[in-house]
Amino acid sequence: MSLRKSFAAALKLLRTQRGFSQVEISKTVVQSHVSQLESALTTATVDVSYELACALSIQPLTLFTLTLAGHKQQTGRQMLLDCLAELEQLGLADTLLPDEQPAKMTPAMVEARKKWVAVQEMKAQGLTQAEVRKRL
């Protein structure tokens, strides 16, 4: 099953299972968009998926799990067990993500940092600016 169709099926299943109409879950996502999603006419962004999960009073992972399970023809339980095993293999099962990703340093930035550290060490040794310049 395609991801789009699997998402549509998961969304509709969860919505009907929870006893909601399309209008009732259309707080931040308009009803026509919910209808298009359930008909597999369009795809949802991560943000829209999150909003729909919140409107359904479920964890977003539940929606994603059922979507991927349908896509791979697996049960939700098997998808979650596979994901947990993968996270454990990667050593990330108990890791919290940082609030922000550190800026990626370019090779030029790495080289500049090395020079700065070298300059600081020479200054700590009492060398003058002229002496530091000669050594670099």
Side-chain angles (χ1 to χ4, degrees), residues 1 4 19 50 58 60 69 78-79 86 92 96 101 103 121 130:
M1 181 183 303
R4 185 182 291 198
Y50 179 83
I58 61 169
Q78 188 57 54
M79 274 306 312
E86 186 172 65
L92 298 173
L96 293 175
Q101 293 294 324
E121 289 172 355

Side-chain angles (χ1 to χ4, degrees), residues 6 10 13-14 61-71 74-76:
S6 184
L13 173 67
L14 288 166
L61 185 56
T62 302
L63 178 56
F64 290 127
T65 299
L66 287 177
T67 298
L68 291 173
H71 177 68
Q74 293 182 335
T75 65

Side-chain angles (χ1 to χ4, degrees), residues 25-93:
I25 65 168
S26 302
K27 297 172 184 163
T28 57
V29 181
V30 294
Q31 186 272 328
S32 61
H33 190 52
V34 174
S35 177
Q36 290 176 336
L37 289 168
E38 287 188 359
S39 299
L41 298 174
T42 188
T43 58
T45 63
V46 173
D47 292 334
V48 167
S49 299
Y50 179 83
E51 293 296 331
L52 289 168
C54 290
L56 290 166
S57 300
I58 61 169
Q59 292 290 326
L61 185 56
T62 302
L63 178 56
F64 290 127
T65 299
L66 287 177
T67 298
L68 291 173
H71 177 68
K72 292 189 170 203
Q73 296 296 299
Q74 293 182 335
T75 65
R77 178 183 307 280
Q78 188 57 54
M79 274 306 312
L80 289 172
L81 290 171
D82 290 350
C83 286
L84 182 56
E86 186 172 65
L87 286 170
E88 287 174 345
Q89 181 184 22
L90 293 168
L92 298 173

Side-chain angles (χ1 to χ4, degrees), residues 98-109:
D99 289 338
E100 293 183 19
Q101 293 294 324
K104 188 147 186 143
M105 293 185 65
T106 65
M109 292 168 70

Side-chain angles (χ1 to χ4, degrees), residues 101-118:
Q101 293 294 324
K104 188 147 186 143
M105 293 185 65
T106 65
M109 292 168 70
V110 171
E111 195 59 36
R113 175 78 179 151
K114 286 179 184 176
K115 282 186 180 179
W116 180 84
V117 169

